[in-house]
Amino acid sequence: MSVALDETRPSKNLNQRRRLAASTSVAAGLALVLSLGMTAGPASADIVGDDFHIEGEAASIAVNSTTDTAYIRSDGAVLRVKDRGSSQVKWVGDSPGVLAVNSATNRLYVASSDASMMERNALVVIDEGTQESTLIPFDSYVGDIAVNEKSNRVYVSTAAGITVVDGATNTPTLVAGSAGFGKIAVNPVSNKTYVLFSGGVRVIDASGKITSTLNVDGIDVLNWAVNPVKNKIYITTKTISGSSLIVIDGVSDTITATLSWDGPLESWALNPATDKLYIGSAAASNTGSVRIVDGTTMRETAKIPTPTRVKKIVVNPTNNKIYVSMADRGTTVIDGRNNGTTTLRISPWLMAAVNPSNNKVYTVVNNHISVIDGNTQPPVKNDYNGDRTADVIARDSAGLLWLYPGDGSGGWLPRQQVGQGWNIMTAIVAPGDFNGDGNADVLARDGSGLLWLYPGNGSSGWLSRVQVGSGWESMTAIEGIGQFNDDEFVDIVARSSEGWLFVYRGDGNGGWLPRYYAGFGWNGMSEITGVGDFNMDSTPDLVARDAAGALQLYRNGSGWLPTQQIGQGWNVMNSLVGPGDFNGDGKADILARNAAGELWLYAGSGGAAWPTATKVGTGWNVMTAIL
């Protein structure tokens, strides 16, 4: 945070060993007070490994977790998506339909409807190993397909009812008394199949017989999920007044719990490993949220805001990550361990397939595919020494630069000197990975207004510096703001002496894209600090302290959203720092130093609530910069 350029003002450096491609940045200090910052969500930030187009428009998607191949039903054909491209598997009719994959046998099951190809109302079975196909005809179109890989059986829904196909022989058998279309949910552990139709659920046992029918108080079944670990089935139904979330016990096949909602519950997903449900807000507003419901207690445990409305949610139970497609501004990734969030700047999607064996997520919108790689290590704000915990760097009056490694729980490890001669700099900014090499860097302005890039080496040190600007002496504050303009490159905000605030866009390679204007009247603020995604809406934020000592949160939403006050009496502090998640709870925090030299940790709550304070140090008044 910063204001008034002054050499006694704290500076900042950063050395982060990690790939901060999507939302990572550290804001820094300038002048008289202390500065800080960083800007990346305190959670896991995956990367978009592949991004390309396919021929035709996708209608459905499934993935073979063994071969890591995604299959897409697109304009009459089945496409094979693998290794940065796609190829056609087979033409299966003009009408779009559903498909499913058996990863154990490497077979595809595709709905087909095309009179000209003599495949009208059929299930096409494609053996990817032999490239042979088998046609199973039906009297009506195929509405749904589900595969039980354990029993090697395929369940097909048509107007006649549910047909069970033997995966070894492709022999179809109609389930007696199952007439009518239905959505199919399979529990591979119990070998039971649940057919969801309007107003009820039919249970089919391992022998292919209906053993019970459950009536649900609803107009229509909206969605479903199976937890084979807990042997439970979750379904949502549309009611006259809203929606209901119903839990079915897989042993007794009885309804054990019901949770009512005022609005629709169409966008939700289950993590079977944790038995938590992630429910997207369907409110008619520009902003959205994801509510987390504990499946054991059926109580809401958290509510995570999202920048825009939720469109679709998928879960990877292997790495406990939740992927939330939004109406705009990309995909929010929720780290299920601590509910921290980051944002991936990809096109909004309504279809996705997760490969839990290698943590890839294939997302599709129209003819565009983005493959999310979930194996990237979660970025940690202010990780100067590469140990994946948030640290602090401080400059003393002699110009020595000290690294104070955090212990990941709001405490400290032994400090070490990481530089000298830094008192010639009038501003030091920690923007994150400014040159795109995966390590966090430092920008520093000298007395003549030259701006220098000090590339971090990922191990508390620096590579050779490079000049990246001149004429910066006119700026009274410089701060890291993270990926402010949604292009996955970290940016800088700078305030002129007249009070203009500008966004200087980084190009991801140590240079700049054209700057743009972001506001006027900012010279009334005595502190400006980048704090990352402080309110966990997946966008970078600033905090600013006004003349009265009130601390205001400035939220970015393609421009500034209305400010929210998150504190008062902050004029007793002479330095503010945004280290990211300093106490390890997955939420962005603030560090502040008072006149007595005490350092206080203000732990963020992940929302707009005022942070709570804990003293974490004394004697810090000897420092002229804290980052």
Side-chain angles (χ1 to χ4, degrees):
M1 150 140 288
S2 95
V3 205
L5 300 176
D6 186 290
E7 287 195 14
T8 65
R9 164 118 179 100
S11 26
K12 298 177 128 181
N13 319 41
L14 173 70
N15 209 355
Q16 293 182 320
R17 183 177 187 169
R18 69 191 179 198
R19 187 169 183 174
L20 303 169
S23 49
T24 274
S25 152
V26 203
L30 194 63
L32 249 181
V33 202
L34 205 323
S35 195
L36 144 90
M38 210 166 134
T39 254
S44 61
D46 302 2
I47 63 170
V48 179
D50 295 323
D51 200 70
F52 55 90
H53 288 79
I54 60 173
E55 293 295 329
E57 185 169 331
S60 55
I61 182 173
V63 66
N64 186 325
S65 59
T66 301
T67 63
D68 188 29
T69 305
Y71 296 92
I72 294 176
R73 184 76 156 85
S74 172
D75 287 355
V78 176
L79 300 179
R80 182 189 300 108
V81 177
K82 189 175 179 66
D83 298 329
R84 297 177 178 266
S86 64
S87 60
Q88 183 171 308
V89 179
K90 182 179 174 59
W91 179 268
V92 287
D94 292 323
S95 299
V98 294
L99 82 163
V101 176
N102 188 333
S103 298
T105 63
N106 199 18
R107 288 187 175 183
L108 312 181
Y109 298 88
V110 188
S112 174
S113 179
D114 187 348
S116 65
M117 297 295 293
M118 303 301 291
E119 297 179 358
R120 185 166 183 80
N121 299 328
L123 178 72
V124 180
V125 183
I126 304 172
D127 189 321
E128 272 283 79
T130 63
Q131 293 298 301
E132 296 179 351
S133 63
T134 302
L135 186 70
I136 302 176
F138 289 99
D139 292 333
S140 65
Y141 73 88
V142 174
D144 197 15
I145 307 171
V147 174
N148 186 335
E149 293 188 357
K150 178 182 177 182
S151 65
N152 194 15
R153 291 180 178 177
V154 183
Y155 296 83
V156 183
S157 172
T158 68
I162 301 299
T163 295
V164 182
V165 178
D166 187 317
T169 64
N170 290 331
T171 303
T173 303
L174 180 66
V175 176
S178 64
F181 288 102
K183 299 176 181 179
I184 309 171
V186 172
N187 186 340
V189 173
S190 65
N191 279 327
K192 290 182 179 180
T193 302
Y194 298 84
V195 183
L196 293 69
F197 61 95
S198 179
V201 178
R202 295 189 182 107
V203 184
I204 301 175
D205 67 8
S207 68
K209 295 180 180 180
I210 297 176
T211 57
S212 62
T213 298
L214 304 177
N215 293 319
V216 296
D217 183 19
I219 300 172
D220 193 13
V221 174
L222 300 176
N223 207 341
W224 71 97
V226 176
N227 189 337
V229 178
K230 298 288 186 179
N231 200 1
K232 295 192 296 186
I233 298 86
Y234 296 90
I235 64 173
T236 50
T237 63
K238 182 179 180 182
T239 64
I240 296 176
S241 59
S243 301
S244 290
L245 176 62
I246 297 172
V247 184
I248 299 175
D249 176 66
V251 177
S252 63
D253 291 326
T254 58
I255 296 174
T256 59
T258 301
L259 188 62
S260 298
W261 296 74
D262 293 334
L265 289 178
E266 297 182 0
S267 298
W268 64 277
L270 168 74
N271 186 342
T274 61
D275 201 29
K276 290 183 178 180
L277 296 102
Y278 296 84
I279 301 171
S281 170
S285 64
N286 292 328
T287 60
S289 65
V290 176
R291 298 185 178 189
I292 303 176
V293 173
D294 187 318
T296 302
T297 64
M298 292 300 287
R299 295 181 181 273
E300 183 177 316
T301 59
K303 183 178 180 180
I304 300 174
T306 56
T308 59
R309 294 185 60 188
V310 174
K311 304 295 288 185
K312 190 71 174 179
I313 305 174
V314 296
V315 172
N316 183 353
T318 301
N319 59 13
N320 197 7
K321 292 181 181 180
I322 299 86
Y323 299 86
V324 182
S325 175
M326 300 175 292
D328 192 14
R329 300 182 69 83
T331 293
T332 291
V333 183
I334 302 174
D335 188 333
R337 299 169 300 175
N338 53 28
N339 293 339
T341 63
T342 50
T343 301
L344 290 174
R345 307 305 183 191
I346 61 177
S347 301
W349 45 268
L350 290 177
M351 288 184 288
V354 177
N355 186 350
S357 66
N358 63 5
N359 297 323
K360 287 185 180 180
V361 181
Y362 295 83
T363 70
V364 186
V365 53
N366 299 325
N367 66 341
H368 186 87
I369 300 208
S370 297
V371 184
I372 302 172
D373 182 358
N375 293 313
T376 304
Q377 285 285 345
V380 178
K381 290 187 176 182
N382 281 34
D383 178 19
Y384 297 92
N385 59 358
D387 65 357
R388 305 200 56 74
T389 61
D391 310 320
V392 168
I393 282 183
R395 178 187 64 186
D396 64 23
S397 57
L400 299 179
L401 208 61
W402 296 91
L403 169 63
Y404 288 81
D407 64 4
S409 301
W412 308 98
L413 300 176
R415 75 172 187 175
Q416 64 183 96
Q417 184 180 332
V418 293
Q420 62 185 13
W422 284 77
N423 48 7
I424 64 172
M425 298 298 176
T426 59
I428 309 175
V429 180
D433 179 16
F434 189 73
N435 63 356
D437 66 355
N439 299 318
D441 308 316
V442 159
L443 293 169
R445 180 189 62 189
D446 63 24
S448 62
L450 299 180
L451 196 65
W452 297 89
L453 169 64
Y454 287 80
N457 67 2
S459 301
S460 306
W462 314 102
L463 303 176
S464 299
R465 73 175 188 175
V466 179
Q467 183 181 335
V468 293
S470 60
W472 285 75
E473 68 275 10
S474 62
M475 297 298 174
T476 60
I478 308 173
E479 291 297 328
I481 190 62
Q483 298 169 4
F484 193 76
N485 64 338
D486 297 346
D487 64 0
E488 298 189 1
F489 304 138
V490 295
D491 306 316
I492 298 295
V493 293
R495 181 187 60 191
S496 69
S497 57
E498 299 84 7
W500 295 95
L501 194 69
F502 295 94
V503 175
Y504 286 82
R505 299 183 295 149
D507 66 1
N509 194 37
W512 305 98
L513 299 174
R515 73 174 187 178
Y516 64 86
Y517 159 78
F520 181 71
W522 286 76
N523 48 10
M525 299 296 178
S526 58
E527 287 280 347
I528 304 172
T529 301
V531 290
D533 183 14
F534 190 77
N535 63 346
M536 290 180 65
D537 65 355
S538 301
T539 59
D541 307 314
L542 283 177
V543 295
R545 182 183 63 190
D546 60 26
L551 200 64
Q552 305 287 344
L553 179 67
Y554 284 82
R555 301 170 298 147
N556 173 30
S558 297
W560 299 115
L561 299 174
T563 60
Q564 295 178 340
Q565 185 174 332
I566 59 172
Q568 62 186 18
W570 283 71
N571 43 13
V572 301
M573 299 295 178
N574 58 22
S575 177
L576 300 184
V577 178
D581 176 20
F582 188 72
N583 61 357
D585 66 353
K587 302 173 181 64
D589 305 315
I590 298 174
L591 289 170
R593 180 187 63 184
N594 61 21
E598 297 170 333
L599 195 65
W600 290 83
L601 169 66
Y602 287 83
S605 64
W610 294 14
T612 56
T614 305
K615 185 164 67 173
V616 293
T618 58
W620 285 75
N621 46 8
V622 301
M623 298 298 174
T624 60
I626 306 173
L627 334 173

